[in-house]
PDB file of all heavy atoms in Angstrom:
ATOM      1  N   GLY A 618     -16.059  23.966 -19.343  1.00 89.00           N
ATOM      2  CA  GLY A 618     -16.328  24.211 -17.933  1.00 89.00           C
ATOM      3  C   GLY A 618     -17.682  23.711 -17.445  1.00 89.00           C
ATOM      4  O   GLY A 618     -17.964  23.972 -16.326  1.00 89.00           O
ATOM      5  N   LYS A 619     -18.410  23.125 -18.265  1.00 91.00           N
ATOM      6  CA  LYS A 619     -19.761  22.602 -17.855  1.00 91.00           C
ATOM      7  C   LYS A 619     -19.622  21.252 -17.250  1.00 91.00           C
ATOM      8  O   LYS A 619     -18.625  20.542 -17.485  1.00 91.00           O
ATOM      9  CB  LYS A 619     -20.742  22.629 -19.036  1.00 91.00           C
ATOM     10  CG  LYS A 619     -21.001  24.055 -19.593  1.00 91.00           C
ATOM     11  CD  LYS A 619     -21.995  23.989 -20.820  1.00 91.00           C
ATOM     12  CE  LYS A 619     -22.293  25.316 -21.337  1.00 91.00           C
ATOM     13  NZ  LYS A 619     -23.136  25.265 -22.546  1.00 91.00           N
ATOM     14  N   PRO A 620     -20.674  20.753 -16.485  1.00 93.00           N
ATOM     15  CA  PRO A 620     -20.511  19.396 -15.890  1.00 93.00           C
ATOM     16  C   PRO A 620     -20.395  18.343 -16.940  1.00 93.00           C
ATOM     17  O   PRO A 620     -21.096  18.341 -17.961  1.00 93.00           O
ATOM     18  CB  PRO A 620     -21.930  19.318 -15.142  1.00 93.00           C
ATOM     19  CG  PRO A 620     -22.339  20.721 -14.895  1.00 93.00           C
ATOM     20  CD  PRO A 620     -21.819  21.500 -16.087  1.00 93.00           C
ATOM     21  N   GLY A 621     -19.553  17.382 -16.675  1.00 92.00           N
ATOM     22  CA  GLY A 621     -19.271  16.337 -17.567  1.00 92.00           C
ATOM     23  C   GLY A 621     -18.201  16.591 -18.533  1.00 92.00           C
ATOM     24  O   GLY A 621     -18.012  17.691 -18.996  1.00 92.00           O
ATOM     25  N   PHE A 622     -17.396  15.516 -18.845  1.00 91.00           N
ATOM     26  CA  PHE A 622     -16.260  15.669 -19.748  1.00 91.00           C
ATOM     27  C   PHE A 622     -16.687  15.644 -21.152  1.00 91.00           C
ATOM     28  O   PHE A 622     -17.380  14.738 -21.617  1.00 91.00           O
ATOM     29  CB  PHE A 622     -15.226  14.542 -19.545  1.00 91.00           C
ATOM     30  CG  PHE A 622     -14.629  14.537 -18.131  1.00 91.00           C
ATOM     31  CD1 PHE A 622     -14.289  13.416 -17.492  1.00 91.00           C
ATOM     32  CD2 PHE A 622     -14.481  15.730 -17.430  1.00 91.00           C
ATOM     33  CE1 PHE A 622     -13.757  13.302 -16.217  1.00 91.00           C
ATOM     34  CE2 PHE A 622     -13.978  15.738 -16.119  1.00 91.00           C
ATOM     35  CZ  PHE A 622     -13.568  14.537 -15.570  1.00 91.00           C
ATOM     36  N   ASN A 623     -16.238  16.672 -21.953  1.00 86.00           N
ATOM     37  CA  ASN A 623     -16.508  16.752 -23.397  1.00 86.00           C
ATOM     38  C   ASN A 623     -15.305  17.412 -24.094  1.00 86.00           C
ATOM     39  O   ASN A 623     -15.537  17.860 -25.203  1.00 86.00           O
ATOM     40  CB  ASN A 623     -17.833  17.477 -23.655  1.00 86.00           C
ATOM     41  CG  ASN A 623     -18.357  17.339 -24.985  1.00 86.00           C
ATOM     42  OD1 ASN A 623     -18.250  16.163 -25.624  1.00 86.00           O
ATOM     43  ND2 ASN A 623     -18.868  18.432 -25.671  1.00 86.00           N
ATOM     44  N   CYS A 624     -14.169  17.467 -23.404  1.00 83.00           N
ATOM     45  CA  CYS A 624     -13.103  18.151 -24.002  1.00 83.00           C
ATOM     46  C   CYS A 624     -12.540  17.434 -25.190  1.00 83.00           C
ATOM     47  O   CYS A 624     -12.486  16.285 -25.271  1.00 83.00           O
ATOM     48  CB  CYS A 624     -11.969  18.418 -22.862  1.00 83.00           C
ATOM     49  SG  CYS A 624     -11.792  16.964 -21.836  1.00 83.00           S
ATOM     50  N   LYS A 625     -11.988  18.324 -25.988  1.00 73.00           N
ATOM     51  CA  LYS A 625     -11.423  17.804 -27.322  1.00 73.00           C
ATOM     52  C   LYS A 625     -10.182  17.011 -27.126  1.00 73.00           C
ATOM     53  O   LYS A 625      -9.864  16.075 -27.870  1.00 73.00           O
ATOM     54  CB  LYS A 625     -11.257  18.960 -28.289  1.00 73.00           C
ATOM     55  CG  LYS A 625     -10.928  18.559 -29.672  1.00 73.00           C
ATOM     56  CD  LYS A 625     -10.818  19.795 -30.613  1.00 73.00           C
ATOM     57  CE  LYS A 625     -10.484  19.484 -32.052  1.00 73.00           C
ATOM     58  NZ  LYS A 625     -10.434  20.637 -32.917  1.00 73.00           N
ATOM     59  N   TYR A 626      -9.325  17.352 -26.270  1.00 76.00           N
ATOM     60  CA  TYR A 626      -7.980  16.755 -26.096  1.00 76.00           C
ATOM     61  C   TYR A 626      -7.728  16.049 -24.823  1.00 76.00           C
ATOM     62  O   TYR A 626      -6.643  15.773 -24.435  1.00 76.00           O
ATOM     63  CB  TYR A 626      -6.919  17.940 -26.205  1.00 76.00           C
ATOM     64  CG  TYR A 626      -7.079  18.747 -27.415  1.00 76.00           C
ATOM     65  CD1 TYR A 626      -7.552  20.032 -27.323  1.00 76.00           C
ATOM     66  CD2 TYR A 626      -6.719  18.294 -28.726  1.00 76.00           C
ATOM     67  CE1 TYR A 626      -7.676  20.837 -28.578  1.00 76.00           C
ATOM     68  CE2 TYR A 626      -6.858  19.039 -29.872  1.00 76.00           C
ATOM     69  CZ  TYR A 626      -7.350  20.316 -29.744  1.00 76.00           C
ATOM     70  OH  TYR A 626      -7.493  21.132 -30.823  1.00 76.00           O
ATOM     71  N   CYS A 627      -8.839  15.581 -24.144  1.00 81.00           N
ATOM     72  CA  CYS A 627      -8.551  14.938 -22.846  1.00 81.00           C
ATOM     73  C   CYS A 627      -8.868  13.487 -22.782  1.00 81.00           C
ATOM     74  O   CYS A 627      -8.812  12.923 -21.713  1.00 81.00           O
ATOM     75  CB  CYS A 627      -9.394  15.710 -21.748  1.00 81.00           C
ATOM     76  SG  CYS A 627     -11.148  15.597 -21.906  1.00 81.00           S
ATOM     77  N   GLU A 628      -9.324  12.839 -23.892  1.00 82.00           N
ATOM     78  CA  GLU A 628      -9.727  11.466 -23.896  1.00 82.00           C
ATOM     79  C   GLU A 628     -10.689  11.234 -22.763  1.00 82.00           C
ATOM     80  O   GLU A 628     -10.396  10.514 -21.783  1.00 82.00           O
ATOM     81  CB  GLU A 628      -8.476  10.591 -23.796  1.00 82.00           C
ATOM     82  CG  GLU A 628      -7.550  10.602 -24.987  1.00 82.00           C
ATOM     83  CD  GLU A 628      -6.428   9.628 -24.915  1.00 82.00           C
ATOM     84  OE1 GLU A 628      -6.410   8.942 -23.934  1.00 82.00           O
ATOM     85  OE2 GLU A 628      -5.603   9.619 -25.834  1.00 82.00           O
ATOM     86  N   SER A 629     -11.826  11.788 -22.967  1.00 86.00           N
ATOM     87  CA  SER A 629     -12.843  11.874 -21.771  1.00 86.00           C
ATOM     88  C   SER A 629     -13.248  10.528 -21.274  1.00 86.00           C
ATOM     89  O   SER A 629     -13.422  10.391 -20.045  1.00 86.00           O
ATOM     90  CB  SER A 629     -14.052  12.659 -22.272  1.00 86.00           C
ATOM     91  OG  SER A 629     -14.646  12.058 -23.444  1.00 86.00           O
ATOM     92  N   ARG A 630     -13.255   9.438 -22.076  1.00 86.00           N
ATOM     93  CA  ARG A 630     -13.706   8.183 -21.553  1.00 86.00           C
ATOM     94  C   ARG A 630     -12.687   7.613 -20.716  1.00 86.00           C
ATOM     95  O   ARG A 630     -13.065   6.809 -19.747  1.00 86.00           O
ATOM     96  CB  ARG A 630     -14.027   7.316 -22.753  1.00 86.00           C
ATOM     97  CG  ARG A 630     -15.188   7.765 -23.610  1.00 86.00           C
ATOM     98  CD  ARG A 630     -15.578   6.854 -24.758  1.00 86.00           C
ATOM     99  NE  ARG A 630     -16.293   5.657 -24.268  1.00 86.00           N
ATOM    100  CZ  ARG A 630     -16.828   4.760 -25.149  1.00 86.00           C
ATOM    101  NH1 ARG A 630     -16.907   5.025 -26.443  1.00 86.00           N
ATOM    102  NH2 ARG A 630     -17.450   3.717 -24.682  1.00 86.00           N
ATOM    103  N   ASN A 631     -11.428   7.840 -20.880  1.00 89.00           N
ATOM    104  CA  ASN A 631     -10.408   7.392 -19.991  1.00 89.00           C
ATOM    105  C   ASN A 631     -10.224   8.270 -18.768  1.00 89.00           C
ATOM    106  O   ASN A 631      -9.942   7.876 -17.708  1.00 89.00           O
ATOM    107  CB  ASN A 631      -9.070   7.225 -20.731  1.00 89.00           C
ATOM    108  CG  ASN A 631      -9.065   6.082 -21.757  1.00 89.00           C
ATOM    109  OD1 ASN A 631      -9.809   5.135 -21.497  1.00 89.00           O
ATOM    110  ND2 ASN A 631      -8.388   6.299 -22.842  1.00 89.00           N
ATOM    111  N   ARG A 632     -10.396   9.561 -18.950  1.00 92.00           N
ATOM    112  CA  ARG A 632     -10.321  10.576 -17.952  1.00 92.00           C
ATOM    113  C   ARG A 632     -11.266  10.257 -16.790  1.00 92.00           C
ATOM    114  O   ARG A 632     -11.037  10.570 -15.622  1.00 92.00           O
ATOM    115  CB  ARG A 632     -10.484  11.927 -18.469  1.00 92.00           C
ATOM    116  CG  ARG A 632     -10.186  13.091 -17.518  1.00 92.00           C
ATOM    117  CD  ARG A 632     -10.551  14.488 -18.106  1.00 92.00           C
ATOM    118  NE  ARG A 632     -10.375  15.526 -17.154  1.00 92.00           N
ATOM    119  CZ  ARG A 632      -9.207  16.144 -16.886  1.00 92.00           C
ATOM    120  NH1 ARG A 632      -8.057  15.738 -17.550  1.00 92.00           N
ATOM    121  NH2 ARG A 632      -9.130  17.089 -15.958  1.00 92.00           N
ATOM    122  N   VAL A 633     -12.447   9.720 -17.173  1.00 92.00           N
ATOM    123  CA  VAL A 633     -13.438   9.469 -16.141  1.00 92.00           C
ATOM    124  C   VAL A 633     -12.863   8.542 -15.000  1.00 92.00           C
ATOM    125  O   VAL A 633     -13.093   8.660 -13.851  1.00 92.00           O
ATOM    126  CB  VAL A 633     -14.626   8.673 -16.835  1.00 92.00           C
ATOM    127  CG1 VAL A 633     -15.534   8.104 -15.776  1.00 92.00           C
ATOM    128  CG2 VAL A 633     -15.392   9.720 -17.739  1.00 92.00           C
ATOM    129  N   PHE A 634     -12.024   7.497 -15.482  1.00 93.00           N
ATOM    130  CA  PHE A 634     -11.372   6.573 -14.506  1.00 93.00           C
ATOM    131  C   PHE A 634     -10.094   7.252 -13.908  1.00 93.00           C
ATOM    132  O   PHE A 634      -9.863   7.037 -12.696  1.00 93.00           O
ATOM    133  CB  PHE A 634     -11.077   5.298 -15.134  1.00 93.00           C
ATOM    134  CG  PHE A 634     -12.256   4.564 -15.639  1.00 93.00           C
ATOM    135  CD1 PHE A 634     -12.699   4.670 -16.980  1.00 93.00           C
ATOM    136  CD2 PHE A 634     -13.027   3.693 -14.822  1.00 93.00           C
ATOM    137  CE1 PHE A 634     -13.796   4.004 -17.457  1.00 93.00           C
ATOM    138  CE2 PHE A 634     -14.105   3.029 -15.260  1.00 93.00           C
ATOM    139  CZ  PHE A 634     -14.494   3.170 -16.634  1.00 93.00           C
ATOM    140  N   ASP A 635      -9.353   7.876 -14.649  1.00 92.00           N
ATOM    141  CA  ASP A 635      -8.131   8.460 -14.154  1.00 92.00           C
ATOM    142  C   ASP A 635      -8.184   9.382 -13.044  1.00 92.00           C
ATOM    143  O   ASP A 635      -7.252   9.573 -12.202  1.00 92.00           O
ATOM    144  CB  ASP A 635      -7.271   9.044 -15.305  1.00 92.00           C
ATOM    145  CG  ASP A 635      -6.822   8.020 -16.443  1.00 92.00           C
ATOM    146  OD1 ASP A 635      -6.791   6.835 -16.092  1.00 92.00           O
ATOM    147  OD2 ASP A 635      -6.658   8.435 -17.526  1.00 92.00           O
ATOM    148  N   PHE A 636      -9.381  10.140 -13.037  1.00 93.00           N
ATOM    149  CA  PHE A 636      -9.532  11.164 -12.047  1.00 93.00           C
ATOM    150  C   PHE A 636     -10.437  10.809 -10.924  1.00 93.00           C
ATOM    151  O   PHE A 636     -10.879  11.697 -10.152  1.00 93.00           O
ATOM    152  CB  PHE A 636      -9.915  12.455 -12.724  1.00 93.00           C
ATOM    153  CG  PHE A 636      -8.807  13.183 -13.384  1.00 93.00           C
ATOM    154  CD1 PHE A 636      -8.313  12.828 -14.598  1.00 93.00           C
ATOM    155  CD2 PHE A 636      -8.243  14.266 -12.821  1.00 93.00           C
ATOM    156  CE1 PHE A 636      -7.290  13.472 -15.183  1.00 93.00           C
ATOM    157  CE2 PHE A 636      -7.135  14.911 -13.364  1.00 93.00           C
ATOM    158  CZ  PHE A 636      -6.762  14.511 -14.532  1.00 93.00           C
ATOM    159  N   MET A 637     -10.572   9.549 -10.706  1.00 94.00           N
ATOM    160  CA  MET A 637     -11.266   9.049  -9.499  1.00 94.00           C
ATOM    161  C   MET A 637     -10.186   9.067  -8.376  1.00 94.00           C
ATOM    162  O   MET A 637      -9.020   8.505  -8.598  1.00 94.00           O
ATOM    163  CB  MET A 637     -11.823   7.631  -9.675  1.00 94.00           C
ATOM    164  CG  MET A 637     -13.055   7.542 -10.567  1.00 94.00           C
ATOM    165  SD  MET A 637     -13.707   5.890 -10.707  1.00 94.00           S
ATOM    166  CE  MET A 637     -14.096   5.486  -9.036  1.00 94.00           C
ATOM    167  N   LYS A 638     -10.477   9.572  -7.244  1.00 91.00           N
ATOM    168  CA  LYS A 638      -9.529   9.596  -6.202  1.00 91.00           C
ATOM    169  C   LYS A 638     -10.250   9.489  -4.838  1.00 91.00           C
ATOM    170  O   LYS A 638     -11.203  10.115  -4.573  1.00 91.00           O
ATOM    171  CB  LYS A 638      -8.754  10.896  -6.264  1.00 91.00           C
ATOM    172  CG  LYS A 638      -7.638  11.035  -5.233  1.00 91.00           C
ATOM    173  CD  LYS A 638      -6.854  12.390  -5.411  1.00 91.00           C
ATOM    174  CE  LYS A 638      -5.756  12.480  -4.450  1.00 91.00           C
ATOM    175  NZ  LYS A 638      -4.919  13.740  -4.672  1.00 91.00           N
ATOM    176  N   ARG A 639      -9.725   8.663  -3.976  1.00 87.00           N
ATOM    177  CA  ARG A 639     -10.276   8.475  -2.596  1.00 87.00           C
ATOM    178  C   ARG A 639     -10.037   9.766  -1.704  1.00 87.00           C
ATOM    179  O   ARG A 639      -8.923  10.330  -1.792  1.00 87.00           O
ATOM    180  CB  ARG A 639      -9.607   7.316  -1.875  1.00 87.00           C
ATOM    181  CG  ARG A 639      -9.899   5.971  -2.493  1.00 87.00           C
ATOM    182  CD  ARG A 639      -9.173   4.864  -1.766  1.00 87.00           C
ATOM    183  NE  ARG A 639      -9.318   3.550  -2.284  1.00 87.00           N
ATOM    184  CZ  ARG A 639     -10.224   2.692  -1.949  1.00 87.00           C
ATOM    185  NH1 ARG A 639     -11.172   2.996  -1.113  1.00 87.00           N
ATOM    186  NH2 ARG A 639     -10.234   1.488  -2.610  1.00 87.00           N
ATOM    187  N   GLY A 640     -11.053  10.038  -0.944  1.00 81.00           N
ATOM    188  CA  GLY A 640     -10.839  11.114   0.009  1.00 81.00           C
ATOM    189  C   GLY A 640     -10.323  12.437  -0.444  1.00 81.00           C
ATOM    190  O   GLY A 640      -9.546  13.083   0.244  1.00 81.00           O
ATOM    191  N   HIS A 641     -10.642  12.816  -1.661  1.00 87.00           N
ATOM    192  CA  HIS A 641     -10.035  14.072  -2.251  1.00 87.00           C
ATOM    193  C   HIS A 641     -10.815  15.196  -1.648  1.00 87.00           C
ATOM    194  O   HIS A 641     -11.865  15.045  -1.081  1.00 87.00           O
ATOM    195  CB  HIS A 641     -10.218  14.069  -3.755  1.00 87.00           C
ATOM    196  CG  HIS A 641     -11.626  14.133  -4.214  1.00 87.00           C
ATOM    197  ND1 HIS A 641     -12.346  15.365  -4.335  1.00 87.00           N
ATOM    198  CD2 HIS A 641     -12.589  13.182  -4.518  1.00 87.00           C
ATOM    199  CE1 HIS A 641     -13.558  15.227  -4.748  1.00 87.00           C
ATOM    200  NE2 HIS A 641     -13.744  13.889  -4.884  1.00 87.00           N
ATOM    201  N   ASN A 642     -10.188  16.412  -1.786  1.00 86.00           N
ATOM    202  CA  ASN A 642     -10.811  17.640  -1.276  1.00 86.00           C
ATOM    203  C   ASN A 642     -10.829  18.634  -2.433  1.00 86.00           C
ATOM    204  O   ASN A 642     -10.861  19.890  -2.200  1.00 86.00           O
ATOM    205  CB  ASN A 642     -10.098  18.295  -0.115  1.00 86.00           C
ATOM    206  CG  ASN A 642      -8.614  18.474  -0.388  1.00 86.00           C
ATOM    207  OD1 ASN A 642      -8.157  18.256  -1.509  1.00 86.00           O
ATOM    208  ND2 ASN A 642      -7.857  18.839   0.641  1.00 86.00           N
TER     209      ASN A 642
END
Side-chain angles (χ1 to χ4, degrees):
K619 296 179 180 180
F622 299 147
N623 195 41
C624 41
K625 186 176 181 180
Y626 306 106
C627 67
E628 296 185 358
S629 56
R630 295 181 74 167
N631 292 329
R632 184 182 179 87
V633 169
F634 295 94
D635 294 338
F636 281 78
M637 289 179 62
K638 186 177 181 180
R639 294 178 185 269
H641 69 85
N642 55 6

